[in-house]
Amino acid sequence: MNVKEFIKSIQKNPKMFVDEVRTDYIEHLILGFFICCDVNNNATDIDLHFHAHFSRWLVRWIWKNIDKKYSQKYFSWSQTLKDIDITSNETEAVKLFFDLSDMFFEKYEDKEYPYKRNCSNRITLREYIKLIEKKPKAVLYEIRIDYLEYCIDGFKGCNAINDFGDDTAVQFHYYFSDWLVRWIQKNRNKKYKKQHFFWYHTLRDITKDEAEAVALFFTLCDKFFEEYENKK
């Protein structure tokens, strides 16, 4: 599955992928999907073209249709959509993104692009998380625990769809959320009960701000995967 097909899958039922239907969540989900394709040497030309050029294409669309004097301030297309302020809510903004992505892909559907892939070695979800930990701002547009989850979810989704055989992604997908609740019950609040499907909410429940939630996530990820390795 390429990024065009992944976006169409999200469009059919966004709530299957994100807790709230928001452009910034969808963007981070797509980013995680693309990174997985790229680092596993599975990115197609259209994946690479979307990642490299959609944001700039959006600005040209704005010049032609909304404001010919608009000056691009962000690489992030979700931030650009908010910046031009032509939609009244997230539902409209998400619909506009899907419409514009259709236009983008239709324009470039029959073209080929001689991109070269920089990554040729597959990495696991565990390795991907460690890479983000080293430099979060290289991936996340803001250091936020919800953005981190969606970048990870996109990566996991790509892993599953393409059957990369990543045991760490499987273990994380099925067990991390419940493991996190048990850790809280043991170390923070023995009466804590799971209230959320998305683990970023759980981390927000026990931390005072986004930076603390993100830092705690990386610490607990190490503990989770160490336990997994010891059980193998």
Side-chain angles (χ1 to χ4, degrees), residues 100-190:
L100 292 175
S101 65
D102 283 342
M103 293 169 58
F104 176 84
F105 288 125
E106 284 173 7
K107 182 174 182 179
Y108 297 106
E109 187 172 18
D110 298 324
K111 295 184 179 181
E112 294 183 2
Y113 301 90
Y115 289 109
K116 293 182 179 179
R117 296 166 177 80
N118 295 321
C119 303
S120 59
N121 297 317
R122 290 188 174 183
I123 68 170
T124 65
L125 177 66
R126 183 180 186 182
E127 293 167 333
Y128 173 60
I129 292 171
K130 294 303 289 183
L131 287 174
I132 299 176
E133 183 178 6
K134 289 178 181 178
K135 197 173 182 181
K137 287 188 177 180
V139 178
L140 309 177
Y141 298 143
E142 293 179 52
I143 308 303
R144 292 173 42 158
I145 193 65
D146 48 357
Y147 287 178
L148 180 57
E149 172 153 9
Y150 288 117
C151 270
I152 290 171
D153 284 352
F155 192 97
K156 287 196 293 102
C158 174
N159 249 307
I161 289 166
N162 292 292
D163 194 22
F164 288 144
D166 178 4
D167 287 344
T168 68
V170 173
Q171 292 295 318
F172 187 93
H173 177 76
Y174 284 108
Y175 302 116
F176 178 74
S177 186
D178 289 336
W179 180 93
L180 174 59
V181 172
R182 292 194 298 272
W183 182 89
I184 293 170
Q185 291 168 345
K186 183 177 180 181
N187 297 277
R188 294 288 182 90
N189 179 0
K190 65 181 180 180

Side-chain angles (χ1 to χ4, degrees), residues 62 70-74 77-86:
I62 292 169
Y70 178 76
S71 177
Q72 185 176 10
K73 303 180 184 69
Y74 312 100
W77 55 258
S78 64
Q79 289 176 306
T80 298
L81 284 176
K82 286 183 174 64
D83 192 41
I84 58 175
D85 196 28
I86 62 170

Side-chain angles (χ1 to χ4, degrees), residues 17-46:
F17 297 88
V18 291
D19 189 26
E20 298 176 61
V21 182
R22 295 169 36 167
T23 52
D24 51 350
Y25 285 1
I26 290 174
E27 179 164 21
H28 282 85
L29 187 72
I30 293 169
L31 180 60
F33 180 90
F34 166 77
I35 291 172
C36 179
C37 287
D38 194 34
V39 298
N40 285 292
N41 202 28
N42 200 56
T44 65
D45 281 353
I46 197 63

